[in-house]
């Protein structure tokens, strides 16, 4: 969400549903005996295709007219995907893996699958950092983010970059949906929750601040666990309050620092 806003200046409000498409496709393929690696590849490919359709049908015709129009169109697409997910996969929770393998540690517990997911996440972050800061494509992306007109005058094809960034964000969302399906359960109601939490992280960091968004996302996740995992005045809060933390973060940040925690003022000549 932060990457797309930083380059296109639009919000993809169907991001959570795109993540679920990747997760549910992986579950569906694995339920028919497809090896997990091939099922994961199929899930990411399905997210790529859905994201490409979303860009061509719900983003490209509108985002140059007004940057708020894609919010409406992607909300509509998210509702369509919600309905299709319920039609094809039902409403019952789905898990990609039927059992997990607990690693024997004395002071904490973690599964083998979770440790693998953590390692893959670190690899994805490292690859993204290298792509953005160590390649000519990354420099072109940052130039397009700062001044699209000047980038165009230097021969950078901004429309192509917009399409590629949007599709890449969908692939990452699909990977996130697969991670959820491996670590927890998939549910059709998760789409909006994922989008709200992503929006909360973007709002807290400052619009378009990618690495600040990553830090805020982990901060919100930690806060969610602390709120329902620790006793407050001797009482444990119900787990249902966990999903409301992101909304509270959005409200507090908008009241306290509307530009975001990591926002820096640009010098204007």
């Amino acid at each position: 969400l932060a990457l797309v806003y930083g380059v296109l200046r639009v919000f993809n409000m169907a991001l959570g549903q795109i993540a679920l498409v990747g997760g549910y496709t992986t579950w569906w393929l694995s339920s028919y005996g497809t090896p997990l690696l091939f099922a994961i590849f199929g899930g990411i490919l399905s997210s790529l295709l859905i994201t490409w359709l979303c860009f061509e049908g719900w983003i490209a015709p509108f985002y140059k007219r007004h940057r708020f129009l894609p919010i409406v169109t992607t909300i509509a697409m998210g509702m369509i995907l919600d309905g299709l997910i319920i039609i094809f996969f039902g409403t019952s929770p789905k898990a990609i893996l039927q059992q997990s393998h607990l690693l024997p540690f004395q002071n904490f517990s973690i599964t083998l699958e979770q440790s693998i997911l953590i390692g893959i996440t670190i690899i994805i972050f490292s690859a993204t950092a290298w792509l953005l800061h160590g390649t000519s494509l990354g420099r072109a992306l940052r130039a397009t983010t700062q001044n699209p007109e000047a980038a165009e005058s230097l021969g950078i094809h901004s429309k192509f970059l917009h399409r590629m960034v949007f599709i890449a964000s969908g692939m990452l969302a699909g990977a996130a949906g697969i991670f959820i399906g491996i670590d927890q359960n998939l549910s059709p109601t998760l789409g909006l929750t994922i989008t709200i939490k992503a929006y909360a992280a973007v709002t807290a960091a400052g619009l378009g601040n990618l690495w600040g968004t990553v830090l805020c996302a982990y901060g919100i996740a930690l806060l969610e666990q602390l709120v329902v995992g620790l006793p407050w005045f001797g009482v444990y809060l119900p787990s249902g309050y966990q999903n409301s933390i992101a909304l509270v973060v959005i409200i507090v940040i908008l009241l306290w620092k509307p530009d975001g925690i990591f926002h820096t003022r640009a010098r204007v000549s």
Side-chain angles (χ1 to χ4, degrees), residues 26-183:
T26 302
W27 168 83
W28 178 73
L29 291 173
S30 62
S31 66
Y32 281 94
T34 305
L36 183 59
L37 288 178
F38 290 101
I40 290 174
F41 177 78
I44 294 177
L45 181 61
S46 67
S47 296
L48 184 154
L49 294 175
I50 290 295
T51 309
W52 174 70
L53 291 174
C54 179
F55 183 84
E56 299 299 338
W58 282 266
I59 297 292
F62 304 103
Y63 80 105
K64 289 295 186 180
R65 298 175 183 270
H66 197 286
R67 65 192 183 106
F68 289 145
L69 283 177
I71 294 179
V72 179
T73 57
T74 53
I75 287 176
M77 181 172 183
M79 296 174 67
I80 293 171
L81 291 176
D82 278 334
L84 291 175
I85 288 172
I86 292 174
I87 290 172
F88 287 105
F89 302 107
T91 58
S92 60
K94 304 290 192 302
I96 294 175
L97 297 182
Q98 301 305 317
Q99 61 180 359
S100 57
H101 304 83
L102 190 64
L103 296 178
F105 290 102
Q106 184 175 0
N107 298 323
F108 65 95
S109 60
I110 186 173
T111 65
L112 174 62
E113 292 76 17
Q114 288 173 335
S115 62
I116 292 174
L117 294 181
I118 291 172
I120 294 174
T121 301
I122 294 173
I123 292 173
I124 291 175
F125 282 160
S126 302
T128 303
W130 172 77
L131 180 66
L132 291 178
H133 301 286
T135 66
S136 58
L137 177 61
R139 289 189 289 272
L141 280 174
R142 286 184 279 124
T144 303
T145 301
Q146 295 173 5
N147 194 322
E149 291 78 13
E152 285 276 1
S153 67
L154 294 174
I156 297 174
H157 193 356
S158 61
K159 291 183 179 179
F160 173 77
L161 289 179
H162 290 174
R163 182 176 285 101
M164 291 301 100
V165 166
F166 195 85
I167 292 175
S169 73
M171 294 174 64
L172 291 176
I178 295 170
F179 284 11
I180 293 173
I182 292 175
D183 185 44

